[in-house]
Amino acid sequence: MSVEQAPVQRADFDQVMVPNYAPAAFIPVRGEGSRVWDQSGRELIDFAGGIAVNVLGHAHPALVGALTEQANKLWHVSNVFTNEPALRLAHKLIDATFAERVFFCNSGAEANEAAFKLARRVAFDRFGTEKYEIIAALNSFHGRTLFTVNVGGQSKYSDGFGPKITGITHVPYNDLEALKAAVSDKTCAVVLEPIQGEGGVLPAELAYLQGARELCDANNALLVFDEVQTGMGRSGKLFAYQHYGVVPDILTSAKSLGGGFPIAAMLTREDLAKHLVVGTHGTTYGGNPLACAVAEAVIDVINTPQVLAGVNTKHDLFVARLQQIGEKYGIFTEVRGMGLLLGCVLSDAFKGKAKEVFNAAERENLMILQAGPDVVRFAPSLVVDETDIQEGLDRFERAVKTLTQA
């Protein structure tokens, strides 16, 4: 017997929710593929992907099937026990990457928290109490816990929460000389995003990542890659580090890993993982059977030559059209990124107006993203249909036209 649900509307958010978010004026209620419908039945094309999460779009049959099957078996047992989906998923991640050990959790922030704790524990065990400093990049983003928000190089997110965690230094991204000047024998880890996501969809230069690897090796420090946003095929390879041929010591994954179901992972080598002995770290829901079953279906679909090649083909379609729109209306100076994580850098005339572009797109029934005030971001499904790409970009051009010809 179903229970009748009380009707809700957008105004309820302002009455019942903590006001740390400012959601759009409509409420999505259903999705299929790259299309979403709101309470009124309005249909929108989704190029936001839940902020690079809905890697296979909405209600993908493989994910629905995996979740439904597991929901009829086992939901939760905690880490007092292990479970089959977690072990199968761990094997698949290890087989596809440099990793030898996996730690499962629930969000990118948790994965990064685990990575930073592991880096400090390894340094403590091997070199003593003075080797605990972490070097990260300005404008980076690594999560919202107190530790991760301090490692993230954006003070607007870390100010106002009391004393900051010490031993963290920030240097300009893609500036190898600045990184060299900061690394010392006290450095336990260098933390980088191969593509800065929230910081503006800015890819790392190959020489920068190669130099970071060499600096870490020379100073007994660990290289940590935050691939929360770039992982699981988003870049056109399963993980972005595989484009560069630079292998980290620790890698974090979340967002697309569950295709919309909350799950995250920290990947590392066996010789490092052994420093997190029983009792040193944990999470109640980490490795949840439901989450791991869905994530296993995600990697089975994505980690195929057909899907990964398709990401690169779709990348070319997006970039060509976005560049054309940028040139026609003078709104972008650059389209950058990899795969289906793309950022359009606003021209001087539109600096600071990414939110206005977001709003204009929504009025044209298109969901997009910002990456700061000066960059419009696209993170659609990796299997978005070409017809949806063309229709979505038609809607985007109409939105841009309303702003440039106002």
Side-chain angles (χ1 to χ4, degrees), residues 254-285:
K255 289 189 179 289
S256 294
L257 180 59
F261 202 103
I263 185 173
M266 178 188 73
L267 312 181
T268 191
R269 301 194 310 271
E270 180 180 3
D271 65 303
L272 303 177
K274 68 182 183 182
H275 290 270
L276 286 186
V277 298
V278 173
T280 53
H281 192 60
T283 169
T284 297
Y285 287 106

PDB file of all heavy atoms in Angstrom, residues 254-285:
ATOM      1  N   ALA A 254      35.525   9.853  -6.829  1.00  0.00           N
ATOM      2  CA  ALA A 254      34.169   9.929  -6.268  1.00  0.00           C
ATOM      3  C   ALA A 254      33.239  10.303  -7.416  1.00  0.00           C
ATOM      4  O   ALA A 254      33.353   9.730  -8.498  1.00  0.00           O
ATOM      5  CB  ALA A 254      34.101  10.927  -5.114  1.00  0.00           C
ATOM      6  N   LYS A 255      32.361  11.262  -7.215  1.00  0.00           N
ATOM      7  CA  LYS A 255      31.453  11.766  -8.236  1.00  0.00           C
ATOM      8  C   LYS A 255      30.994  10.689  -9.216  1.00  0.00           C
ATOM      9  O   LYS A 255      30.072   9.951  -8.936  1.00  0.00           O
ATOM     10  CB  LYS A 255      32.084  12.961  -8.948  1.00  0.00           C
ATOM     11  CG  LYS A 255      32.159  14.223  -8.077  1.00  0.00           C
ATOM     12  CD  LYS A 255      32.575  15.436  -8.869  1.00  0.00           C
ATOM     13  CE  LYS A 255      32.626  16.707  -8.019  1.00  0.00           C
ATOM     14  NZ  LYS A 255      31.305  17.197  -7.614  1.00  0.00           N
ATOM     15  N   SER A 256      31.664  10.565 -10.376  1.00  0.00           N
ATOM     16  CA  SER A 256      31.206   9.637 -11.415  1.00  0.00           C
ATOM     17  C   SER A 256      31.319   8.173 -11.024  1.00  0.00           C
ATOM     18  O   SER A 256      30.730   7.314 -11.688  1.00  0.00           O
ATOM     19  CB  SER A 256      31.997   9.876 -12.708  1.00  0.00           C
ATOM     20  OG  SER A 256      31.718  11.139 -13.249  1.00  0.00           O
ATOM     21  N   LEU A 257      32.074   7.868  -9.980  1.00  0.00           N
ATOM     22  CA  LEU A 257      32.279   6.470  -9.607  1.00  0.00           C
ATOM     23  C   LEU A 257      30.967   5.741  -9.375  1.00  0.00           C
ATOM     24  O   LEU A 257      30.832   4.570  -9.737  1.00  0.00           O
ATOM     25  CB  LEU A 257      33.156   6.393  -8.346  1.00  0.00           C
ATOM     26  CG  LEU A 257      33.469   4.997  -7.799  1.00  0.00           C
ATOM     27  CD1 LEU A 257      34.198   4.146  -8.841  1.00  0.00           C
ATOM     28  CD2 LEU A 257      34.312   5.105  -6.525  1.00  0.00           C
ATOM     29  N   GLY A 258      29.987   6.400  -8.797  1.00  0.00           N
ATOM     30  CA  GLY A 258      28.698   5.768  -8.539  1.00  0.00           C
ATOM     31  C   GLY A 258      27.611   6.168  -9.508  1.00  0.00           C
ATOM     32  O   GLY A 258      26.472   5.720  -9.373  1.00  0.00           O
ATOM     33  N   GLY A 259      27.937   7.014 -10.480  1.00  0.00           N
ATOM     34  CA  GLY A 259      26.947   7.404 -11.473  1.00  0.00           C
ATOM     35  C   GLY A 259      25.722   8.075 -10.894  1.00  0.00           C
ATOM     36  O   GLY A 259      24.662   8.102 -11.529  1.00  0.00           O
ATOM     37  N   GLY A 260      25.827   8.613  -9.683  1.00  0.00           N
ATOM     38  CA  GLY A 260      24.689   9.234  -9.008  1.00  0.00           C
ATOM     39  C   GLY A 260      24.414   8.630  -7.656  1.00  0.00           C
ATOM     40  O   GLY A 260      23.710   9.223  -6.831  1.00  0.00           O
ATOM     41  N   PHE A 261      24.949   7.447  -7.391  1.00  0.00           N
ATOM     42  CA  PHE A 261      24.819   6.829  -6.066  1.00  0.00           C
ATOM     43  C   PHE A 261      26.072   7.198  -5.268  1.00  0.00           C
ATOM     44  O   PHE A 261      27.183   7.043  -5.774  1.00  0.00           O
ATOM     45  CB  PHE A 261      24.702   5.314  -6.182  1.00  0.00           C
ATOM     46  CG  PHE A 261      24.054   4.681  -4.979  1.00  0.00           C
ATOM     47  CD1 PHE A 261      22.729   4.264  -5.018  1.00  0.00           C
ATOM     48  CD2 PHE A 261      24.755   4.522  -3.792  1.00  0.00           C
ATOM     49  CE1 PHE A 261      22.125   3.686  -3.903  1.00  0.00           C
ATOM     50  CE2 PHE A 261      24.163   3.958  -2.675  1.00  0.00           C
ATOM     51  CZ  PHE A 261      22.845   3.538  -2.736  1.00  0.00           C
ATOM     52  N   PRO A 262      25.927   7.695  -4.042  1.00  0.00           N
ATOM     53  CA  PRO A 262      27.100   8.177  -3.292  1.00  0.00           C
ATOM     54  C   PRO A 262      28.108   7.073  -2.983  1.00  0.00           C
ATOM     55  O   PRO A 262      27.792   6.090  -2.303  1.00  0.00           O
ATOM     56  CB  PRO A 262      26.495   8.729  -1.993  1.00  0.00           C
ATOM     57  CG  PRO A 262      25.067   9.016  -2.330  1.00  0.00           C
ATOM     58  CD  PRO A 262      24.669   7.968  -3.321  1.00  0.00           C
ATOM     59  N   ILE A 263      29.319   7.256  -3.508  1.00  0.00           N
ATOM     60  CA  ILE A 263      30.432   6.357  -3.208  1.00  0.00           C
ATOM     61  C   ILE A 263      31.724   7.077  -3.597  1.00  0.00           C
ATOM     62  O   ILE A 263      31.724   7.922  -4.499  1.00  0.00           O
ATOM     63  CB  ILE A 263      30.326   5.013  -3.960  1.00  0.00           C
ATOM     64  CG1 ILE A 263      31.451   4.061  -3.526  1.00  0.00           C
ATOM     65  CG2 ILE A 263      30.290   5.209  -5.461  1.00  0.00           C
ATOM     66  CD1 ILE A 263      31.330   2.648  -4.089  1.00  0.00           C
ATOM     67  N   ALA A 264      32.802   6.757  -2.908  1.00  0.00           N
ATOM     68  CA  ALA A 264      34.112   7.312  -3.236  1.00  0.00           C
ATOM     69  C   ALA A 264      35.160   6.263  -2.909  1.00  0.00           C
ATOM     70  O   ALA A 264      34.891   5.279  -2.202  1.00  0.00           O
ATOM     71  CB  ALA A 264      34.370   8.593  -2.442  1.00  0.00           C
ATOM     72  N   ALA A 265      36.368   6.500  -3.417  1.00  0.00           N
ATOM     73  CA  ALA A 265      37.442   5.537  -3.186  1.00  0.00           C
ATOM     74  C   ALA A 265      38.781   6.251  -3.126  1.00  0.00           C
ATOM     75  O   ALA A 265      39.005   7.242  -3.828  1.00  0.00           O
ATOM     76  CB  ALA A 265      37.473   4.490  -4.301  1.00  0.00           C
ATOM     77  N   MET A 266      39.648   5.740  -2.290  1.00  0.00           N
ATOM     78  CA  MET A 266      41.057   6.122  -2.286  1.00  0.00           C
ATOM     79  C   MET A 266      41.843   4.925  -2.781  1.00  0.00           C
ATOM     80  O   MET A 266      41.708   3.816  -2.237  1.00  0.00           O
ATOM     81  CB  MET A 266      41.528   6.512  -0.882  1.00  0.00           C
ATOM     82  CG  MET A 266      43.014   6.860  -0.833  1.00  0.00           C
ATOM     83  SD  MET A 266      43.636   7.089   0.849  1.00  0.00           S
ATOM     84  CE  MET A 266      43.660   5.386   1.447  1.00  0.00           C
ATOM     85  N   LEU A 267      42.667   5.134  -3.804  1.00  0.00           N
ATOM     86  CA  LEU A 267      43.467   4.066  -4.390  1.00  0.00           C
ATOM     87  C   LEU A 267      44.933   4.313  -4.066  1.00  0.00           C
ATOM     88  O   LEU A 267      45.408   5.442  -4.154  1.00  0.00           O
ATOM     89  CB  LEU A 267      43.286   4.023  -5.910  1.00  0.00           C
ATOM     90  CG  LEU A 267      41.860   4.063  -6.470  1.00  0.00           C
ATOM     91  CD1 LEU A 267      41.896   3.988  -7.986  1.00  0.00           C
ATOM     92  CD2 LEU A 267      41.020   2.954  -5.896  1.00  0.00           C
ATOM     93  N   THR A 268      45.651   3.235  -3.726  1.00  0.00           N
ATOM     94  CA  THR A 268      47.064   3.405  -3.401  1.00  0.00           C
ATOM     95  C   THR A 268      47.804   2.081  -3.553  1.00  0.00           C
ATOM     96  O   THR A 268      47.216   1.056  -3.925  1.00  0.00           O
ATOM     97  CB  THR A 268      47.234   3.972  -1.974  1.00  0.00           C
ATOM     98  OG1 THR A 268      48.586   4.357  -1.767  1.00  0.00           O
ATOM     99  CG2 THR A 268      46.809   2.961  -0.915  1.00  0.00           C
ATOM    100  N   ARG A 269      49.098   2.111  -3.252  1.00  0.00           N
ATOM    101  CA  ARG A 269      49.917   0.901  -3.332  1.00  0.00           C
ATOM    102  C   ARG A 269      49.888   0.144  -2.002  1.00  0.00           C
ATOM    103  O   ARG A 269      49.596   0.702  -0.942  1.00  0.00           O
ATOM    104  CB  ARG A 269      51.364   1.259  -3.675  1.00  0.00           C
ATOM    105  CG  ARG A 269      51.563   1.992  -4.982  1.00  0.00           C
ATOM    106  CD  ARG A 269      53.049   1.972  -5.357  1.00  0.00           C
ATOM    107  NE  ARG A 269      53.906   2.403  -4.252  1.00  0.00           N
ATOM    108  CZ  ARG A 269      54.266   3.664  -4.025  1.00  0.00           C
ATOM    109  NH1 ARG A 269      53.815   4.634  -4.806  1.00  0.00           N
ATOM    110  NH2 ARG A 269      55.068   3.972  -3.012  1.00  0.00           N
ATOM    111  N   GLU A 270      50.276  -1.104  -2.066  1.00  0.00           N
ATOM    112  CA  GLU A 270      50.285  -1.951  -0.867  1.00  0.00           C
ATOM    113  C   GLU A 270      51.261  -1.436   0.184  1.00  0.00           C
ATOM    114  O   GLU A 270      50.949  -1.436   1.382  1.00  0.00           O
ATOM    115  CB  GLU A 270      50.645  -3.385  -1.254  1.00  0.00           C
ATOM    116  CG  GLU A 270      50.685  -4.356  -0.074  1.00  0.00           C
ATOM    117  CD  GLU A 270      51.047  -5.765  -0.506  1.00  0.00           C
ATOM    118  OE1 GLU A 270      51.319  -5.977  -1.698  1.00  0.00           O
ATOM    119  OE2 GLU A 270      51.064  -6.654   0.376  1.00  0.00           O
ATOM    120  N   ASP A 271      52.447  -0.985  -0.236  1.00  0.00           N
ATOM    121  CA  ASP A 271      53.451  -0.575   0.745  1.00  0.00           C
ATOM    122  C   ASP A 271      53.024   0.673   1.511  1.00  0.00           C
ATOM    123  O   ASP A 271      53.493   0.908   2.638  1.00  0.00           O
ATOM    124  CB  ASP A 271      54.808  -0.338   0.068  1.00  0.00           C
ATOM    125  CG  ASP A 271      54.775   0.821  -0.907  1.00  0.00           C
ATOM    126  OD1 ASP A 271      53.945   0.786  -1.844  1.00  0.00           O
ATOM    127  OD2 ASP A 271      55.575   1.763  -0.751  1.00  0.00           O
ATOM    128  N   LEU A 272      52.136   1.472   0.943  1.00  0.00           N
ATOM    129  CA  LEU A 272      51.601   2.635   1.646  1.00  0.00           C
ATOM    130  C   LEU A 272      50.366   2.264   2.457  1.00  0.00           C
ATOM    131  O   LEU A 272      50.205   2.712   3.596  1.00  0.00           O
ATOM    132  CB  LEU A 272      51.258   3.741   0.641  1.00  0.00           C
ATOM    133  CG  LEU A 272      52.405   4.212  -0.252  1.00  0.00           C
ATOM    134  CD1 LEU A 272      51.914   5.240  -1.249  1.00  0.00           C
ATOM    135  CD2 LEU A 272      53.543   4.783   0.598  1.00  0.00           C
ATOM    136  N   ALA A 273      49.516   1.453   1.880  1.00  0.00           N
ATOM    137  CA  ALA A 273      48.271   1.073   2.547  1.00  0.00           C
ATOM    138  C   ALA A 273      48.517   0.401   3.893  1.00  0.00           C
ATOM    139  O   ALA A 273      47.717   0.541   4.821  1.00  0.00           O
ATOM    140  CB  ALA A 273      47.464   0.142   1.639  1.00  0.00           C
ATOM    141  N   LYS A 274      49.630  -0.294   4.024  1.00  0.00           N
ATOM    142  CA  LYS A 274      49.885  -1.042   5.265  1.00  0.00           C
ATOM    143  C   LYS A 274      50.035  -0.126   6.478  1.00  0.00           C
ATOM    144  O   LYS A 274      49.967  -0.591   7.621  1.00  0.00           O
ATOM    145  CB  LYS A 274      51.129  -1.918   5.103  1.00  0.00           C
ATOM    146  CG  LYS A 274      52.440  -1.144   4.984  1.00  0.00           C
ATOM    147  CD  LYS A 274      53.624  -2.095   4.783  1.00  0.00           C
ATOM    148  CE  LYS A 274      54.955  -1.334   4.728  1.00  0.00           C
ATOM    149  NZ  LYS A 274      56.091  -2.255   4.490  1.00  0.00           N
ATOM    150  N   HIS A 275      50.202   1.174   6.259  1.00  0.00           N
ATOM    151  CA  HIS A 275      50.338   2.101   7.376  1.00  0.00           C
ATOM    152  C   HIS A 275      48.985   2.436   8.017  1.00  0.00           C
ATOM    153  O   HIS A 275      48.956   2.980   9.116  1.00  0.00           O
ATOM    154  CB  HIS A 275      51.035   3.383   6.917  1.00  0.00           C
ATOM    155  CG  HIS A 275      52.483   3.177   6.604  1.00  0.00           C
ATOM    156  ND1 HIS A 275      53.482   3.325   7.546  1.00  0.00           N
ATOM    157  CD2 HIS A 275      53.113   2.810   5.447  1.00  0.00           C
ATOM    158  CE1 HIS A 275      54.658   3.067   6.989  1.00  0.00           C
ATOM    159  NE2 HIS A 275      54.456   2.757   5.718  1.00  0.00           N
ATOM    160  N   LEU A 276      47.888   2.139   7.327  1.00  0.00           N
ATOM    161  CA  LEU A 276      46.568   2.305   7.935  1.00  0.00           C
ATOM    162  C   LEU A 276      46.128   0.954   8.493  1.00  0.00           C
ATOM    163  O   LEU A 276      45.325   0.230   7.895  1.00  0.00           O
ATOM    164  CB  LEU A 276      45.552   2.832   6.909  1.00  0.00           C
ATOM    165  CG  LEU A 276      45.671   4.305   6.517  1.00  0.00           C
ATOM    166  CD1 LEU A 276      44.513   4.710   5.601  1.00  0.00           C
ATOM    167  CD2 LEU A 276      45.714   5.229   7.733  1.00  0.00           C
ATOM    168  N   VAL A 277      46.659   0.628   9.651  1.00  0.00           N
ATOM    169  CA  VAL A 277      46.343  -0.651  10.283  1.00  0.00           C
ATOM    170  C   VAL A 277      44.957  -0.570  10.910  1.00  0.00           C
ATOM    171  O   VAL A 277      44.336   0.495  10.974  1.00  0.00           O
ATOM    172  CB  VAL A 277      47.402  -1.003  11.351  1.00  0.00           C
ATOM    173  CG1 VAL A 277      48.763  -1.154  10.708  1.00  0.00           C
ATOM    174  CG2 VAL A 277      47.431   0.064  12.453  1.00  0.00           C
ATOM    175  N   VAL A 278      44.468  -1.699  11.385  1.00  0.00           N
ATOM    176  CA  VAL A 278      43.125  -1.765  11.964  1.00  0.00           C
ATOM    177  C   VAL A 278      42.960  -0.705  13.052  1.00  0.00           C
ATOM    178  O   VAL A 278      43.791  -0.576  13.954  1.00  0.00           O
ATOM    179  CB  VAL A 278      42.864  -3.171  12.545  1.00  0.00           C
ATOM    180  CG1 VAL A 278      41.532  -3.196  13.300  1.00  0.00           C
ATOM    181  CG2 VAL A 278      42.860  -4.209  11.425  1.00  0.00           C
ATOM    182  N   GLY A 279      41.900   0.085  12.912  1.00  0.00           N
ATOM    183  CA  GLY A 279      41.578   1.095  13.906  1.00  0.00           C
ATOM    184  C   GLY A 279      42.061   2.495  13.595  1.00  0.00           C
ATOM    185  O   GLY A 279      41.648   3.454  14.258  1.00  0.00           O
ATOM    186  N   THR A 280      42.919   2.649  12.579  1.00  0.00           N
ATOM    187  CA  THR A 280      43.475   3.984  12.306  1.00  0.00           C
ATOM    188  C   THR A 280      42.537   4.865  11.492  1.00  0.00           C
ATOM    189  O   THR A 280      42.651   6.092  11.544  1.00  0.00           O
ATOM    190  CB  THR A 280      44.818   3.874  11.556  1.00  0.00           C
ATOM    191  OG1 THR A 280      44.634   3.041  10.399  1.00  0.00           O
ATOM    192  CG2 THR A 280      45.899   3.292  12.457  1.00  0.00           C
ATOM    193  N   HIS A 281      41.646   4.282  10.738  1.00  0.00           N
ATOM    194  CA  HIS A 281      40.721   5.083   9.932  1.00  0.00           C
ATOM    195  C   HIS A 281      39.511   4.229   9.591  1.00  0.00           C
ATOM    196  O   HIS A 281      39.599   2.995   9.540  1.00  0.00           O
ATOM    197  CB  HIS A 281      41.400   5.575   8.651  1.00  0.00           C
ATOM    198  CG  HIS A 281      40.603   6.624   7.924  1.00  0.00           C
ATOM    199  ND1 HIS A 281      40.274   7.828   8.488  1.00  0.00           N
ATOM    200  CD2 HIS A 281      40.048   6.636   6.675  1.00  0.00           C
ATOM    201  CE1 HIS A 281      39.572   8.555   7.633  1.00  0.00           C
ATOM    202  NE2 HIS A 281      39.427   7.850   6.522  1.00  0.00           N
ATOM    203  N   GLY A 282      38.364   4.865   9.336  1.00  0.00           N
ATOM    204  CA  GLY A 282      37.184   4.087   8.997  1.00  0.00           C
ATOM    205  C   GLY A 282      36.006   4.962   8.651  1.00  0.00           C
ATOM    206  O   GLY A 282      36.064   6.190   8.741  1.00  0.00           O
ATOM    207  N   THR A 283      34.926   4.315   8.236  1.00  0.00           N
ATOM    208  CA  THR A 283      33.668   4.993   7.929  1.00  0.00           C
ATOM    209  C   THR A 283      32.558   3.954   7.950  1.00  0.00           C
ATOM    210  O   THR A 283      32.723   2.848   7.435  1.00  0.00           O
ATOM    211  CB  THR A 283      33.717   5.686   6.563  1.00  0.00           C
ATOM    212  OG1 THR A 283      32.394   6.098   6.202  1.00  0.00           O
ATOM    213  CG2 THR A 283      34.258   4.787   5.478  1.00  0.00           C
ATOM    214  N   THR A 284      31.433   4.300   8.546  1.00  0.00           N
ATOM    215  CA  THR A 284      30.337   3.342   8.701  1.00  0.00           C
ATOM    216  C   THR A 284      29.825   2.823   7.363  1.00  0.00           C
ATOM    217  O   THR A 284      29.617   1.627   7.180  1.00  0.00           O
ATOM    218  CB  THR A 284      29.175   3.981   9.484  1.00  0.00           C
ATOM    219  OG1 THR A 284      29.624   4.317  10.796  1.00  0.00           O
ATOM    220  CG2 THR A 284      27.989   3.032   9.592  1.00  0.00           C
ATOM    221  N   TYR A 285      29.599   3.731   6.420  1.00  0.00           N
ATOM    222  CA  TYR A 285      28.968   3.334   5.162  1.00  0.00           C
ATOM    223  C   TYR A 285      29.954   2.944   4.068  1.00  0.00           C
ATOM    224  O   TYR A 285      29.545   2.516   2.985  1.00  0.00           O
ATOM    225  CB  TYR A 285      28.084   4.474   4.640  1.00  0.00           C
ATOM    226  CG  TYR A 285      26.807   4.659   5.412  1.00  0.00           C
ATOM    227  CD1 TYR A 285      26.662   5.726   6.287  1.00  0.00           C
ATOM    228  CD2 TYR A 285      25.741   3.774   5.269  1.00  0.00           C
ATOM    229  CE1 TYR A 285      25.490   5.916   7.004  1.00  0.00           C
ATOM    230  CE2 TYR A 285      24.568   3.950   5.983  1.00  0.00           C
ATOM    231  CZ  TYR A 285      24.444   5.026   6.846  1.00  0.00           C
ATOM    232  OH  TYR A 285      23.282   5.210   7.548  1.00  0.00           O
TER     233      TYR A 285
END
